[in-house]
Amino acid sequence: MRGSYLVRELHSTRYRSLQNQPINKRIESTTKNPTPSKKTLTKRRNDKNKKSATSDSDIVESNMAITGHMRRGQCESALRIFNAMPRRTSVSYNTMMSGYLSNGKFDLARDLFEKMPQRDLVSWNVMLSGYVRNRNLSAARALFDRMPERDVVSWNAMLSGYAQNGYVDEARKIFYMIPDKNEISWNGLLSAYVQNGRISEAGMLFESKLDWELVSWNCLMSGYIKRKRLIDARRLFDRMPIRDEISWNTMITGYAQNGELSEARRLFEESPIRDVFTWTAMVSGYVQNGMLDESRRFFDEMPEKNEVSWNAMIAGYVQCKRMDMARELFEAMPCRNICSWNTMVTGYAQSENIPQARNLFDRMPHRDCISWAAIIAGYAQIGHGEEALHLFVKMKRDGEKINRSALTCSLSACADIAALDLGKQLHGRLVKAGYETGCYVGNALLAMYCKCGSIDEAYAIFDDIAEKDVVSWNTMIAGYARHGFGKEAMMVFESMKTMGFKPDSVTMVGVLSACSHTGLVEKGTEYFNSMDRDYGITANSKHYTCMIDLLGRAGRLDEAQNLMRSMPFEPDAATWGALLGASRIHGHTELGEKAAKIIFEMEPDNSGMYVLLSNMYAASGRWGDVSKMRLKMRDSHVRKVPGYSWLEAQNKIHTFSAGDHFHPDNDRIYAFLEELNLKMKLDGYVSSTNMVLHDVEEEEKEHMLKYHSEKLAVAFGILSIPAGRPIRVMKNLRVCEDCHNAIKHISKIEGRLIILRDSHRFHHFSGGSCSCGDYW
């Protein structure tokens, strides 16, 4: 009853309050129920769930759209979708980060990771893999250590990072710390051992577990083969519970590459599945072992060929210099790629068939740095240095990435034409590219500076090579030898032995050449006699030629002849040429005639020997014999190689020949030479008219000598190269006696350092004297 009373009281109070309100308010108050019905609550709950479901669906759709844009590399489009999302989940952030990483935008991924309001385990793993992929292992480890939780993916990411970067011990530590290892963990450590050559540890790890996957068996077998442990590889192959095509192909390839072709052939016949890789393994194996006919038989029988098959066969023909067969296959090849073109261009270039190489190079639909390096090397190899350098400049202008090979080939071209300024520019590019410390590049730089006459800079490069090899030492010794610095060459040779490097045949050629150019007869004889005794080097024709040249230059012609008679093989043209040169120096015409006659039989087209003998006749006044030699050359269709000299000035190569009137500065050069000639005569210069191979008046002989190519080049160098800088002139033939004498006087009169490289050696002229001491 009491409850009823209270209810009635509340009801009456409510009624009185309503009576005092306006009619519209009274209607509203009476129609609204302050306590929602069960039906209303159910409806509201369903509407909320429906709205939430719609929102989640939008997020999923947006995440999928982000993934699609990222796969297409459209990072900005993906970011617009991400920014437009009213609500994002950790999946949204993870999708963006993964996309950035797959498109190489690591910094954006890292920034997004740092801005994430809430990270899950996937977020941490994505970022961890990003650091690993960018080889930033210290940052990866720091992130790994910060992770609030880790799963096997986290552990495997760190293991993989250490393994791929060669930190095998760190990878092993991680492996043994993983609480729940899976197959990826085991395979990760196994691969780390194999890839880093620790094959014995890989084998022990493999034996510690029974249930390896097939990929692991193949991995270890491949490792054994790379280390040429074919017996271990075959034992593993025979133990395999199952094999796939990779197993068979790996084992067949291993036998083929290591010359075990009969066993490779037997496995090939046993293989249940032969795919294109199986056939290609056999083709490549026979190619690598020089068995082209057998390789071609397999190639022709292949039911299916791919680019690798065609390229292997073409490369085989190229390696054996059978360019006609290589070209036939190349033209028939239905699936040429850039490797096919490069192989052919390289083949023609190495065969010195530059027209064909250039024709293919110009036809290439696409070129890479290998294509450019091949054609540049081809031109440099045949002595067309200017065209090689022109192509290098064009390569740079075309925006092609310049690789180490193109740079070193261009350095070789600079060395051949003595383009020192351009060589220095290439040196700068090498330094910027980070190649300067490598032995391969260091040796190319060393050779360039030596051949360009900058021997001090050459030694600075030599000194900077961190890990010198025998080529480094040999190049420096030969450089000093060619410059006539015999004592310096000997010092480098002694340092070479002190550093534990064993001299080889090339070393001793350089050493004996240094002794020859500086007249160190006793020292040279001592080194020659020590070759077999101290270094186990059997003297070859080059060593004997150096010794005969050494003895002959010193006037010990009888000893030179006795050494020739004691040679364990017949003297070649170069050896007789050394004796002929010595005979000319010392006026021993009879011996010179004997040497020349033998050379003419060996090399009837060697014009240099005709000229040497003619010089001997001219020096003796035997003009009739000079005429006979000229007639003999004409009847034998032997043409004297024209002499020319060149130098680098004003960023260009300037070339001169005797009596040249084609240079743009011709008038200025000739006028300057006339002035120089007067000054030289006042300084005591007398023309070496005995060098003129024509029976004419002395005055005409003087005029003929006045405009030799090296004199024209030196005159232009003085006019165009600023004072204080050396004048570097190159000549394709041996510098004549008159020019050698004249340039000594010019160096004194003009106060210039003149460096002349001829076909035999360098001459450094300064203050009226030459570094050769007139012993050349």
Side-chain angles (χ1 to χ4, degrees):
M1 290 296 293
R2 186 180 179 186
S4 299
Y5 170 77
L6 288 172
V7 170
R8 285 197 302 272
E9 182 66 25
L10 287 171
H11 179 73
S12 62
T13 303
R14 172 71 175 163
Y15 177 77
R16 286 194 297 272
S17 68
L18 286 173
Q19 290 298 318
N20 295 327
Q21 290 181 4
I23 184 66
N24 60 333
K25 291 288 183 181
R26 273 188 270 166
I27 294 171
E28 183 182 347
S29 297
T30 55
T31 55
K32 278 188 178 180
N33 186 355
T35 305
S37 66
K38 186 176 180 180
K39 183 178 180 181
T40 301
L41 289 173
T42 302
K43 184 177 182 302
R44 288 179 182 176
R45 193 180 300 114
N46 290 337
D47 289 344
K48 184 177 180 181
N49 290 339
K50 185 177 180 181
K51 183 178 180 181
S52 177
T54 302
S55 177
D56 289 346
S57 176
D58 291 341
I59 292 172
V60 171
E61 187 175 338
S62 296
N63 291 344
M64 291 176 64
I66 289 171
T67 300
H69 283 298
M70 286 297 191
R71 284 175 179 170
R72 294 188 293 272
Q74 300 166 348
C75 297
E76 293 182 2
S77 300
L79 181 60
R80 281 195 292 271
I81 295 172
F82 180 80
N83 288 335
M85 294 176 69
R87 189 167 69 91
R88 308 181 189 101
T89 64
S90 59
V91 176
S92 311
Y93 281 91
N94 296 340
T95 303
M96 281 296 295
M97 285 194 300
S98 296
Y100 278 141
L101 291 174
S102 63
N103 284 282
K105 299 183 182 296
F106 173 79
D107 291 340
L108 294 177
R110 182 183 55 198
D111 292 343
L112 194 61
F113 177 78
E114 297 298 335
K115 294 175 183 177
M116 282 186 73
Q118 188 174 357
R119 303 171 186 139
D120 59 14
L121 181 57
V122 175
S123 314
W124 289 91
N125 284 339
V126 168
M127 201 63 239
L128 181 64
S129 67
Y131 278 117
V132 167
R133 192 180 304 172
N134 280 271
R135 298 181 179 274
N136 192 341
L137 295 185
S138 59
R141 185 55 189 262
L143 187 75
F144 180 79
D145 292 338
R146 283 171 49 203
M147 291 179 70
E149 61 173 319
R150 307 183 188 105
D151 62 3
V152 71
V153 175
S154 322
W155 289 97
N156 287 342
M158 276 312 304
L159 191 155
S160 175
Y162 283 129
Q164 290 172 7
N165 288 277
Y167 298 107
V168 182
D169 293 332
E170 286 78 0
R172 181 173 55 195
K173 290 176 184 176
I174 289 289
F175 174 79
Y176 286 113
M177 291 169 63
I178 299 176
D180 297 309
K181 301 176 181 66
N182 61 10
E183 287 301 320
I184 295 175
S185 315
W186 285 91
N187 289 335
L189 184 59
L190 183 71
S191 298
Y193 283 138
V194 169
Q195 290 170 8
N196 290 278
R198 294 167 67 162
I199 199 68
S200 297
E201 291 170 274
M204 287 189 289
L205 179 70
F206 193 84
E207 296 302 328
S208 70
K209 182 174 177 289
L210 296 177
D211 54 337
W212 288 94
E213 294 181 341
L214 178 57
V215 66
S216 307
W217 289 83
N218 289 338
C219 174
L220 182 59
M221 182 169 60
S222 175
Y224 281 134
I225 286 172
K226 286 179 181 177
R227 306 295 294 181
K228 300 188 181 300
R229 292 172 57 171
L230 293 181
I231 295 175
D232 291 324
R234 184 55 188 268
R235 284 175 184 160
L236 197 67
F237 178 81
D238 291 338
R239 284 172 50 198
M240 293 178 73
I242 56 171
R243 305 183 187 110
D244 60 2
E245 303 92 73
I246 295 174
S247 316
W248 286 93
N249 291 345
T250 301
M251 200 65 238
I252 291 170
T253 302
Y255 279 128
Q257 289 179 345
N258 287 279
E260 300 280 352
L261 291 170
S262 58
E263 195 60 32
R265 177 68 177 271
R266 194 175 71 79
L267 275 185
F268 175 83
E269 300 294 345
E270 291 179 9
S271 180
I273 303 174
R274 298 177 199 156
D275 58 14
V276 66
F277 300 104
T278 321
W279 284 90
T280 302
M282 292 301 299
V283 170
S284 299
Y286 282 116
V287 164
Q288 289 174 13
N289 288 275
M291 301 171 66
L292 283 188
D293 293 337
E294 192 67 19
S295 177
R296 183 58 186 266
R297 191 179 70 77
F298 264 86
F299 179 81
D300 291 339
E301 291 178 5
M302 290 180 71
E304 176 191 359
K305 302 179 182 74
N306 61 10
E307 295 172 349
V308 179
S309 320
W310 285 91
N311 288 337
M313 198 65 240
I314 291 172
Y317 283 128
V318 167
Q319 289 166 12
C320 294
K321 307 295 184 185
R322 293 171 64 177
M323 292 304 300
D324 53 340
M325 297 299 295
R327 185 61 178 263
E328 179 185 309
L329 278 184
F330 177 77
E331 296 297 342
M333 185 176 179
C335 49
R336 292 178 198 156
N337 58 12
I338 196 165
C339 179
S340 320
W341 288 89
N342 286 345
T343 301
M344 291 300 299
V345 171
T346 302
Y348 279 125
Q350 291 177 346
S351 300
E352 299 188 0
N353 189 342
I354 289 299
Q356 287 285 13
R358 185 59 183 267
N359 175 266
L360 282 179
F361 178 81
D362 291 338
R363 284 174 48 200
M364 290 182 72
H366 303 286
R367 304 186 188 107
D368 61 8
C369 56
I370 297 173
S371 322
W372 286 96
I375 195 68
I376 290 170
Y379 277 108
Q381 182 179 327
I382 63 170
H384 292 188
E386 289 187 67
E387 183 61 25
L389 294 176
H390 171 74
L391 282 167
F392 179 81
V393 173
K394 189 174 187 300
M395 175 186 184
K396 182 181 173 184
R397 287 175 181 166
D398 285 2
E400 183 59 59
K401 181 181 177 182
I402 298 174
N403 65 354
R404 189 175 66 170
S405 179
L407 280 166
T408 50
C409 289
S410 300
L411 280 173
S412 177
C414 290
D416 289 339
I417 64 173
L420 181 62
D421 289 341
L422 182 54
K424 287 182 175 180
Q425 293 176 33
L426 293 177
H427 185 181
R429 290 189 65 89
L430 283 164
V431 172
K432 289 181 181 179
Y435 292 136
E436 79 281 10
T437 56
C439 190
Y440 176 74
V441 171
N443 290 341
L445 281 169
L446 174 57
M448 186 274 292
Y449 281 114
C450 282
K451 291 182 178 180
C452 288
S454 188
I455 196 68
D456 291 336
E457 288 179 275
Y459 186 78
I461 293 295
F462 172 76
D463 204 35
D464 285 342
I465 298 176
E467 296 182 7
K468 300 175 180 66
D469 60 6
V470 174
V471 176
S472 314
W473 293 96
N474 289 350
T475 304
M476 195 68 245
I477 291 169
Y480 273 134
R482 199 169 181 192
H483 281 264
F485 300 140
K487 292 180 180 178
E488 289 80 356
M490 298 303 103
M491 288 174 60
V492 174
F493 178 60
E494 295 301 329
S495 297
M496 176 185 184
K497 293 188 292 183
T498 302
M499 296 298 292
F501 286 88
K502 184 180 179 181
D504 62 10
S505 176
V506 177
T507 314
M508 298 314 298
V509 170
V511 169
L512 295 175
S513 178
C515 293
S516 175
H517 284 309
T518 48
L520 300 173
V521 179
E522 303 306 324
K523 197 69 177 174
T525 303
E526 178 187 332
Y527 282 131
F528 181 77
N529 293 331
S530 70
M531 283 173 51
D532 184 48
R533 181 188 69 234
D534 296 343
Y535 315 118
I537 300 171
T538 302
N540 59 30
S541 60
K542 290 183 179 179
H543 301 117
Y544 277 100
T545 299
C546 286
M547 279 304 297
I548 290 165
D549 185 59
L550 172 62
L551 294 168
R553 286 176 184 275
R556 294 159 69 164
L557 293 173
D558 290 338
E559 291 180 56
Q561 291 182 79
N562 290 334
L563 183 62
M564 283 185 68
R565 295 187 191 101
S566 69
M567 289 170 58
F569 39 77
E570 289 297 317
D572 58 13
T575 309
W576 282 107
L579 192 63
L580 174 58
S583 302
R584 183 195 64 80
I585 292 171
H586 298 285
H588 202 310
T589 307
E590 184 180 345
L591 181 58
E593 285 179 316
K594 176 184 175 182
K597 181 179 179 181
I598 296 172
I599 294 171
F600 294 153
E601 292 175 358
M602 293 180 172
E603 296 180 351
D605 297 330
N606 190 334
S607 63
M609 297 302 106
Y610 285 91
V611 174
L612 267 178
L613 188 57
S614 296
N615 284 336
M616 292 180 66
Y617 289 143
S620 303
R622 295 169 57 176
W623 298 109
D625 289 323
V626 171
S627 299
K628 287 179 182 178
M629 291 303 299
R630 193 177 293 118
L631 288 172
K632 186 175 181 179
M633 288 180 70
R634 186 190 67 186
D635 294 342
S636 302
H637 304 289
V638 176
R639 298 187 62 183
K640 180 181 179 293
V641 176
Y644 58 92
S645 301
W646 68 96
L647 79 164
E648 183 184 23
Q650 303 163 345
N651 294 319
K652 292 175 66 177
I653 302 297
H654 300 262
T655 306
F656 301 88
S657 58
D660 194 346
H661 288 277
F662 297 103
H663 195 276
D665 286 333
N666 176 69
D667 293 339
R668 195 159 66 108
I669 294 169
Y670 274 77
F672 181 63
L673 265 181
E674 291 296 332
E675 293 178 19
L676 269 181
N677 198 51
L678 291 174
K679 293 178 182 178
M680 286 158 57
K681 287 184 176 180
L682 290 174
D683 193 52
Y685 163 71
V686 178
S687 296
S688 303
T689 53
N690 61 311
M691 300 303 300
V692 178
L693 301 181
H694 298 277
D695 187 13
V696 294
E697 296 296 327
E698 288 295 308
E699 185 177 346
E700 187 175 348
K701 288 182 180 181
E702 286 186 20
H703 183 77
M704 294 171 71
L705 291 171
K706 191 184 296 183
Y707 305 116
H708 274 191
S709 64
E710 50 264 64
K711 289 177 183 171
L712 294 172
V714 167
F716 177 71
I718 294 171
L719 291 171
S720 58
I721 296 173
R725 292 183 58 189
I727 297 166
R728 304 172 193 276
V729 175
M730 311 295 141
K731 186 176 181 181
N732 67 322
L733 302 176
R734 190 173 183 270
V735 62
C736 80
E737 182 181 320
D738 182 71
C739 286
H740 188 272
N741 187 28
I743 296 172
K744 284 197 299 182
H745 287 279
I746 293 171
S747 71
K748 177 183 176 183
I749 294 166
E750 294 296 322
R752 302 295 295 267
L753 170 62
I754 302 170
I755 301 172
L756 172 65
R757 186 186 87 185
D758 67 10
S759 60
H760 284 70
R761 60 172 299 161
F762 279 89
H763 300 266
H764 294 244
F765 299 93
S766 178
S769 62
C770 179
S771 60
C772 73
D774 296 335
Y775 189 85
W776 55 283

